[in-house]
């Protein structure tokens, strides 16, 4: 009999979102009449922008004719999409990237996980707490950790608590770590990092030869001026940071699948013998071997996000979600809840009332209001006592959910 990867057995529970799905299924089977509103997983509800659909259709039509048919594309992505991103997504931020530094993929969740392939197991890794569970769990899966303790902290990882007291901004580690995951705007807390704060991280990384994994999946939801949308807006970041971006939330591609990872050519890491090697070369090698690229129609659809028409349409949808965020935030604040996020991020992070635990509050809202959110403790021990609502719902559902919660708490 084959031996399995024992490290998987260290994982404490099922992956958070399927676990929520299981509980909701159980509830709806027992209560078929309940009209359940799902604001748990951050899945989009609004259709793709018309300009994006149009490009998608045209690209599918290209595949029907021998002269425009496309087979395997470049593993790194088509130049038309990479160049569009360089010009339209990065240049306006004052960031100049080479086409060899951008890698198109099927989403940033996969890339955040796959990136571990090119790093040695003995790296000391720091993650925030609470955190997008993929960062934690994939480190467990590859065998970088020991078992979890009673609280859920895995031995071998450095956890950076993000609490109400520190404004959900993790302190820079006192010790030297080799890799730090940062996510801004933050999932799950909705917090953002100012230029000054990000510069401190970059300075720390440069001083300690640390690599920053910067997850910018929610940059499109920043509404306040002056907040960096890319880590490369900070001087020095091109020598210490990998950035992940996604079309999922920005343009409604959660089902379509497209993301990108930036690995600057100047970003180096050490071999076991102490020599330096460019991580870009390794990531390129990894992708060429394990990945066959994103489909041509999807990349055409993604490029259309940045057309004048597409961009205007996508911005309308983002504004729609951010209005949802405002309705949730203000509606629940008025009801006396302590509420964070929802200004530069599509997530509202609220404190469960009366000292309830996250899962108790989850069960209460599910059974009494038929509203599904995400228990904060599912994102890590410091999320205990918190609860996350997603602003990606349909407007009527958002209004109804806020109404139900307010009535319940009154
Ligand atoms: C979330 O709800 O945190 C996200 O939708 C999960 C993801 O992007 O994979």
């Amino acid at each position: 009999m084959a031996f399995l990867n024992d490290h998987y057995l260290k994982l404490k529970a099922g992956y958070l979102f399927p676990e929520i799905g299981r509980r909701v299924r159980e509830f709806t089977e027992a209560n078929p009449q309940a009209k359940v509103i799902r604001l748990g997983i951050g899945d989009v509800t609004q259709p793709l922008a018309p300009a994006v659909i149009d490009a998608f259709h045209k690209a599918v039509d290209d595949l029907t004719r021998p002269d425009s048919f496309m087979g395997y594309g470049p593993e790194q992505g088509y130049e038309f999409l990479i160049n569009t991103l360089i010009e339209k997504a990065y240049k306006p931020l004052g960031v100049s990237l080479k086409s060899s530094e951008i890698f198109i993929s099927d989403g940033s969740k996969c890339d955040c996980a796959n990136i571990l392939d090119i790093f040695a197991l003995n790296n000391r890794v720091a993650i925030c707490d609470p955190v997008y569970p993929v960062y934690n769990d994939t480190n467990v899966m590859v065998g970088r950790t020991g078992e979890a303790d009673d609280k859920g902290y895995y031995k071998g990882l450095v956890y950076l608590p993000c609490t109400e007291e520190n404004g959900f901004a993790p302190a820079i580690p006192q010790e030297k770590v080799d890799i730090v995951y940062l996510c801004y705007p933050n999932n799950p807390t909705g917090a953002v990092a100012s230029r000054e704060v990000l510069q401190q991280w970059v300075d720390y990384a440069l001083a300690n030869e640390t690599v920053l994994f910067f997850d910018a999946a929610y940059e499109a939801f920043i509404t306040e001026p002056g907040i960096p949308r890319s880590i490369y807006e900070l001087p020095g970041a091109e020598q210490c940071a990998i950035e992940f971006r996604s079309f999922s939330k920005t343009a409604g591609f959660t089902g379509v699948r497209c993301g990108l990872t930036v690995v600057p050519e100047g970003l180096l890491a050490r071999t076991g013998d102490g020599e330096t090697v460019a991580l870009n070369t390794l990531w390129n090698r990894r992708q060429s071997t394990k990945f066959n690229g994103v489909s041509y129609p999807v990349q055409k659809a993604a490029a259309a996000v940045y057309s004048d028409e597409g961009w205007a349409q996508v911005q309308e949808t983002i504004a729609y979600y951010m209005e949802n965020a405002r309705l949730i935030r203000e509606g629940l604040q008025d009801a006396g809840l302590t509420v964070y996020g929802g200004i530069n991020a599509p997530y509202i992070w609220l404190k469960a009332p009366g000292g309830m635990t996250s899962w108790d509050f989850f069960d209460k809202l599910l059974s009494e209001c038929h509203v599904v959110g995400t228990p904060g403790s599912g994102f890590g021990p410091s999320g205990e006592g918190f609860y996350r609502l997603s602003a990606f719902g349909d407007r009527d559902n958002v209004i109804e959910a806020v109404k139900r919660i307010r009535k319940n708490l009154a």
Side-chain angles (χ1 to χ4, degrees):
M1 195 178 278
F3 295 101
L4 52 78
N5 178 349
D6 278 338
H7 303 301
Y8 275 62
L9 305 182
K10 295 175 192 161
L11 293 165
K12 280 291 135 205
Y15 183 56
L16 177 60
F17 295 108
E19 172 61 20
I20 292 170
R22 193 189 60 75
R23 291 193 186 211
V24 175
R25 250 190 329 276
E26 254 177 44
F27 177 79
T28 48
E29 275 162 24
N31 302 275
Q33 77 300 341
K35 283 199 168 47
V36 173
I37 299 176
R38 291 175 168 78
L39 302 176
I41 188 164
D43 196 5
V44 293
T45 53
Q46 300 306 298
L48 296 180
V52 170
I53 286 288
D54 199 36
F56 217 156
H57 281 163
K58 283 197 181 116
V60 172
D61 286 343
D62 285 347
L63 302 182
T64 65
R65 292 181 301 270
D67 59 332
S68 51
F69 176 75
M70 311 290 272
Y72 287 127
E75 294 89 356
Q76 302 78 1
Y78 285 104
E79 287 272 317
F80 67 76
L81 177 55
I82 292 175
N83 290 336
T84 299
L85 288 162
I86 289 174
E87 289 301 315
K88 299 284 179 68
Y90 283 103
K91 216 176 235 172
L93 305 177
V95 173
S96 103
L97 292 175
K98 291 193 214 156
S99 57
S100 52
E101 296 178 311
I102 296 188
F103 297 82
I104 307 299
S105 74
D106 57 345
S108 57
K109 174 182 180 177
C110 321
D111 283 355
C112 287
N114 292 334
I115 198 75
L116 296 180
D117 270 13
I118 63 168
F119 288 91
L121 270 188
N122 59 2
N123 280 301
R124 199 144 171 75
V125 172
I127 62 172
C128 294
D129 165 35
V131 79
Y132 180 41
V134 171
Y135 312 155
N136 184 80
D137 291 2
T138 53
N139 275 284
V140 177
M141 287 171 172
V142 298
R144 181 163 289 117
T145 75
E147 298 289 341
D149 66 15
D150 295 346
K151 282 182 129 178
Y153 290 127
Y154 286 87
K155 194 162 185 274
L157 287 181
V158 176
Y159 290 90
L160 309 174
C162 302
T163 60
E164 233 177 341
E165 291 71 38
N166 65 17
F168 306 106
I172 305 255
Q174 295 299 307
E175 61 194 296
K176 176 175 154 40
V177 295
D178 304 302
I179 293 171
V180 180
Y181 290 76
L182 294 175
C183 172
Y184 287 112
N186 189 254
N187 177 16
T189 66
V192 280
S194 66
R195 180 169 288 278
E196 293 68 34
V197 166
L198 287 181
Q199 190 65 59
Q200 284 170 18
W201 279 107
V202 169
D203 293 346
Y204 168 86
L206 293 173
N208 291 283
E209 298 194 333
T210 305
V211 176
L212 303 177
F213 289 171
F214 191 77
D215 185 350
Y218 298 96
E219 55 81 26
F221 297 86
I222 293 174
T223 59
E224 292 179 321
I227 298 169
R229 290 167 185 268
S230 166
I231 191 72
Y232 304 118
E233 290 181 56
L234 289 308
E238 67 289 349
Q239 289 161 53
C240 64
I242 292 176
E243 179 163 293
F244 305 96
R245 281 195 175 200
S246 172
F247 286 87
S248 284
K249 317 295 157 87
T250 307
F253 275 46
T254 52
V256 175
R257 309 305 308 151
C258 195
L260 58 132
T261 289
V262 180
V263 188
E265 287 184 352
L267 175 59
L268 307 177
R270 282 191 197 285
T271 66
D273 296 337
E275 281 169 38
T276 54
V277 173
L279 286 170
N280 179 285
T281 314
L282 262 67
W283 183 243
N284 190 31
R285 185 69 173 83
R286 190 261 173 219
Q287 291 298 82
S288 316
T289 304
K290 294 196 178 183
F291 187 57
N292 256 339
V294 175
S295 80
Y296 168 74
V298 167
Q299 293 194 58
K300 276 288 185 187
V305 167
Y306 289 96
S307 65
D308 291 346
E309 224 189 340
W311 191 245
Q313 293 163 353
V314 161
Q315 292 310 311
E316 261 178 49
T317 308
I318 290 173
Y320 174 94
Y321 290 135
M322 292 313 287
E323 174 61 10
N324 283 350
R326 187 189 67 78
L327 290 168
I328 299 172
R329 189 167 44 83
E330 293 182 359
L332 298 184
Q333 229 158 21
D334 280 355
L337 289 178
T338 305
V339 176
Y340 299 96
I343 294 174
N344 295 299
Y347 294 123
I348 290 84
W349 185 243
L350 57 95
K351 213 167 166 178
M356 288 177 89
T357 68
S358 301
W359 278 108
D360 283 350
F361 192 56
F362 172 90
D363 288 335
K364 176 180 164 65
L365 291 195
L366 176 59
S367 60
E368 296 172 13
C369 305
H370 307 161
V371 171
V372 181
T374 309
S377 56
F379 296 101
S382 295
E384 182 57 280
F386 284 84
Y387 181 84
R388 193 194 75 175
L389 284 168
S390 149
F392 289 117
D394 166 84
R395 177 67 47 79
D396 290 345
N397 278 340
V398 163
I399 292 172
E400 175 63 20
V402 172
K403 197 168 112 196
R404 290 187 199 169
I405 298 173
R406 286 179 61 115
K407 195 166 159 215
N408 184 275
L409 296 177

